[in-house]
Amino acid sequence: MEIDPFIFRLSIFILSIFVGYYVVWSVTPSLHTPLMSVTNAISSVIIVGAVIAALATTSDKSFSPSSIFGYLAIILAAVNIFGGFLVTQRMLQMYKKKKKDKK
Amino acid sequence: MISSNLSAIFYLISGILFILALRGLSSPDTSRQGNYFGIAGMTIAIIATFLSIGNFSNSFLYVLILLILGGAIGAFIAFKIPMTAMPELVAGFHSLVGLAAVFVAIAAFLNPEVFNLGISGNIKLASLIEMSIGAAVGAITFSGSIIAFLKLRGIMSGAPITFSGQHYLNLFLGLGIFVMVYYLCKIQSENIFWTLIVVSFLIGVLLIIPIGGADMPVVISMLNSYSGWAAAGIGFTLENTALIITGALVGSSGAILSYIMCKAMNRSFFSVILGGFGADNSSSDTKEKKDQKPVKSGNAEDAAFLMKNASSVIIVPGYGMAVAQAQHALREMVDKLKKNDIKVTYAIHPVAGRMPGHMNVLLAEANVPYDEVFELEDINNDFANSDVAFVIGANDVTNPVAKTDPKSPIFGMPVLDVEKCKSVLFVKRSLSPGYAGIDNELFYRDNTLMLFADAKKMTEDIVKNLD
């Protein structure tokens, strides 16, 4: 009997939870704020769904109820992607080591 | 146009790059590189989507314009936001992810053909369940984050809002979601789908309003987790590996952070969710004590004298320091102390800011090298061997009552053992209790010197007196 593709996706999902678990525990506590902003940025990869909704129409028209929701979601996700990655970058730039030359 | 197999490979690559982005955060040295991995992963995912659809008509132009528009708004916010406002920013960003998930789910419901989910009115059962979970969790994330944002921003009071029957109402609405998903699968009615989304918005609001200001670090982490699960739900609907991997990563990351925060406050996750903490129910008790006990108070000169004659000083910063914008003055003070060959370190409690790791960012912004900053478990033994503890803008996290009084609401919470230092300098405006609403026994100890002033002004005065 053939395995339902859903099971494959479920496997990916569960394995990723395990990967996430171990990777996140190894994040140093001093970087927990950047961790939150970067996870926020990457979860905006939901934009791929928005792009499909906006572009993959069956008709020739640019606007349909479903594509409009797609366009709206693109704006929201774009704010998040750029905002999230840039603010993370800004924070990470500030973390510096002690300067060796003391005086 | 590329085949769906090829685009699936690209999505897998971007998923792996996201894992590497989080991996990079294990040390500040590798973190910047990690962020570039994240950006690369996102770029690959978006380009793969464009190529697999292959629609480069006018609509594509609109998409690019919106992408640039949203990007410009995001970039503007990212550069303008002060570091003290990071918790609000993250809460706000979570709400956007939640709403985007809702919109994508709606689009998929209205036009399932383009997502290969069957036809309108006859959507595949599994897809329908997945998209309603994505929509419901997304809606809860959205409205919950908005409430968290308003509370953090101070637009809404941080005091918990409770009413009788609240938990039953939440339970009832939660069960309602399951019933609606069941009927949605049966009759595929559009009305049920809309009701589902509205009820989920309502749950998000009801879930966050009873949670007090002190528990906000848990709430933000929890919403972080929800936004991940919403993304994963949509990922299943769209059969998209990048989204599934990312959703799982973000979901577990937020869950771990919530756990760390709960543990740092010695609160069970359930009691945080049920809310009501931070209400002023022990105030009568504190007022009595306040009038009776004597307190030693001093000025900047005394503080400077004490620190100059110390050989090691531990700084304990709290959110009050950030509110007073004293971090730069503080670093100036530390620079002066170091010139006198005094060893200075920083001790940070996990809930020292308004979100996990917040205080570290604030210190990093003030150019404090991160290798002078220590977490609670790494530094707590050093207090006994140090001369001066300089507590600035922190309160509850130093309260020895957490170790001694089983009746105290914060009993069992890990605290910094500042009282073991030879002397403790406590910068504070007044003797008022902190977030937890309980009196700090430390104020009345013999080795404590209270410095009543604004944190920034006091630090600046000490700097002057150190010359």
Side-chain angles (χ1 to χ4, degrees):
Chain A
M1 213 183 103
E2 220 179 322
I3 301 173
D4 192 312
F6 172 78
I7 300 300
F8 285 117
R9 284 191 282 278
L10 189 68
S11 319
I12 293 172
F13 179 63
I14 293 181
L15 289 175
S16 304
I17 291 179
F18 275 91
V19 172
Y21 181 85
Y22 290 108
V23 169
V24 171
W25 272 118
S26 74
V27 171
T28 163
S30 68
L31 290 175
H32 276 163
T33 297
L35 170 68
M36 290 187 91
S37 59
V38 84
T39 49
N40 183 68
I42 63 172
S43 60
S44 311
V45 71
I46 201 155
I47 198 170
V48 302
V51 170
I52 297 173
L55 291 183
T57 43
T58 34
S59 64
D60 293 336
K61 279 182 243 157
S62 285
F63 294 101
S64 68
S66 95
S67 74
I68 287 171
F69 277 108
Y71 289 123
L72 289 175
I74 288 173
I75 303 185
L76 298 177
V79 172
N80 241 321
I81 293 171
F82 283 78
F85 280 125
L86 289 173
V87 86
T88 309
Q89 193 66 23
R90 206 183 127 199
M91 275 191 275
L92 295 177
Q93 296 296 358
M94 299 188 307
Y95 281 81
K96 290 189 191 86
K97 251 196 182 143
K98 205 172 352 192
K99 283 195 193 91
K100 285 279 182 276
D101 45 331
K102 262 197 170 174
K103 272 170 194 174
Chain B
M1 196 147 169
I2 54 174
S3 76
S4 44
N5 283 336
L6 190 57
S7 61
I9 302 269
F10 280 125
Y11 289 137
L12 177 65
I13 293 171
S14 76
I16 292 167
L17 286 169
F18 290 152
I19 295 173
L20 293 176
L22 299 193
R23 183 78 187 92
L25 290 170
S26 58
S27 112
D29 296 329
T30 53
S31 59
R32 283 172 281 262
Q33 191 192 15
N35 203 36
Y36 292 126
F37 282 136
I39 295 170
M42 188 62 74
T43 315
I44 291 173
I46 294 174
I47 291 175
T49 313
F50 285 148
L51 292 178
S52 69
I53 301 169
N55 174 358
F56 294 105
S57 62
N58 278 345
S59 313
F60 180 66
L61 205 63
Y62 299 144
V63 168
L64 282 188
I65 291 169
L66 293 177
L67 204 61
I68 291 165
L69 179 73
I73 299 171
F76 178 77
I77 299 171
F79 285 117
K80 285 284 163 197
I81 192 89
M83 285 297 142
T84 39
M86 275 314 292
E88 293 103 291
L89 178 78
V90 169
F93 277 172
H94 286 158
S95 75
L96 298 182
V97 178
L99 195 58
V102 174
F103 285 169
V104 174
I106 293 174
F109 184 78
L110 293 178
N111 198 355
E113 290 97 332
V114 299
F115 291 96
N116 281 327
L117 309 175
I119 51 162
S120 203
N122 189 17
I123 302 173
K124 277 188 282 182
L125 179 67
S127 309
L128 208 51
I129 298 174
E130 290 153 5
M131 79 170 75
S132 35
I133 292 173
V137 180
I140 293 172
T141 312
F142 170 69
S143 55
S145 302
I146 294 283
I147 301 293
F149 175 82
L150 294 176
K151 283 195 173 195
L152 287 163
R153 194 83 221 174
I155 300 169
M156 213 173 130
S157 153
I161 300 169
T162 48
F163 52 86
S164 61
Q166 193 166 22
H167 301 322
Y168 294 106
L169 179 64
N170 289 347
L171 189 67
F172 173 75
L173 291 175
L175 290 175
I177 294 271
F178 285 104
V179 175
M180 276 186 273
V181 172
Y182 176 77
Y183 278 103
L184 183 67
C185 296
K186 257 193 139 170
I187 55 175
Q188 307 227 351
S189 144
E190 214 173 284
N191 288 338
I192 296 182
F193 189 69
W194 296 119
T195 323
L196 177 78
I197 290 172
V198 172
V199 171
S200 305
F201 279 136
L202 194 62
I203 292 182
V205 174
L206 288 169
L207 214 53
I208 307 301
I209 54 167
I211 304 181
D215 283 336
M216 275 304 148
V218 184
V219 171
I220 305 178
S221 323
M222 189 178 82
L223 291 166
N224 187 227
S225 180
Y226 286 0
S227 69
W229 304 131
I234 301 295
F236 274 104
T237 320
L238 307 183
E239 311 186 343
N240 184 306
T241 335
L243 255 174
I244 295 176
I245 295 177
T246 315
L249 289 177
V250 178
S252 53
S253 157
I256 291 173
L257 290 175
S258 318
Y259 170 79
I260 295 175
M261 287 297 109
C262 282
K263 214 174 147 223
M265 297 194 288
N266 192 39
R267 309 253 292 126
S268 80
F269 189 67
F270 274 103
S271 62
V272 171
I273 297 300
L274 294 177
F277 192 67
D280 210 10
N281 45 16
S282 56
S283 53
S284 56
D285 185 43
T286 40
K287 266 174 205 143
E288 275 169 42
K289 280 186 194 162
K290 223 184 275 178
D291 301 330
Q292 292 166 1
K293 290 190 198 165
V295 170
K296 273 205 290 185
S297 81
N299 55 27
E301 224 174 300
D302 304 331
F305 178 78
L306 262 171
M307 284 197 271
K308 241 192 256 176
N309 291 306
S311 60
S312 56
V313 175
I314 299 180
I315 314 253
V316 181
Y319 189 67
M321 178 206 75
V323 173
Q325 289 291 317
Q327 57 269 47
H328 298 278
L330 183 70
R331 204 196 41 109
E332 220 179 303
M333 184 186 97
V334 171
D335 286 347
K336 286 233 162 105
L337 291 174
K338 276 197 228 155
K339 261 187 208 149
N340 290 335
D341 278 334
I342 300 166
K343 187 179 162 237
V344 187
T345 44
Y346 296 80
I348 300 208
H349 192 276
V351 290
R354 284 277 167 91
M355 67 188 290
H358 192 195
M359 194 51 62
N360 302 79
V361 176
L362 295 170
L363 290 178
E365 193 194 13
N367 288 322
V368 172
Y370 62 82
D371 40 9
E372 286 174 13
V373 181
F374 295 93
E375 304 297 320
L376 176 126
E377 57 265 36
D378 298 326
I379 201 168
N380 229 0
N381 292 328
D382 294 354
F383 282 106
N385 311 322
S386 296
D387 299 318
V388 178
F390 186 75
V391 184
I392 177 165
N395 185 358
D396 292 332
V397 297
T398 61
N399 198 340
V401 118
K403 288 175 285 190
T404 52
D405 181 9
K407 274 180 290 185
S408 166
I410 61 167
F411 181 71
M413 173 172 122
V415 286
L416 292 158
D417 299 332
V418 289
E419 78 277 2
K420 289 186 181 153
C421 262
K422 285 204 190 86
S423 43
V424 180
L425 295 168
F426 219 112
V427 185
K428 212 170 173 306
R429 279 169 188 276
S430 67
L431 282 179
S432 61
Y435 253 134
I438 44 169
D439 203 22
N440 194 339
E441 195 198 311
L442 202 60
F443 299 164
Y444 315 106
R445 296 246 173 152
D446 286 338
N447 60 345
T448 305
L449 189 68
M450 298 297 295
L451 306 167
F452 292 112
D454 173 73
K456 187 178 180 186
K457 209 182 155 296
M458 176 54 74
T459 317
E460 282 167 353
D461 287 349
I462 296 175
V463 171
K464 276 179 213 147
N465 277 296
L466 279 174
D467 289 323

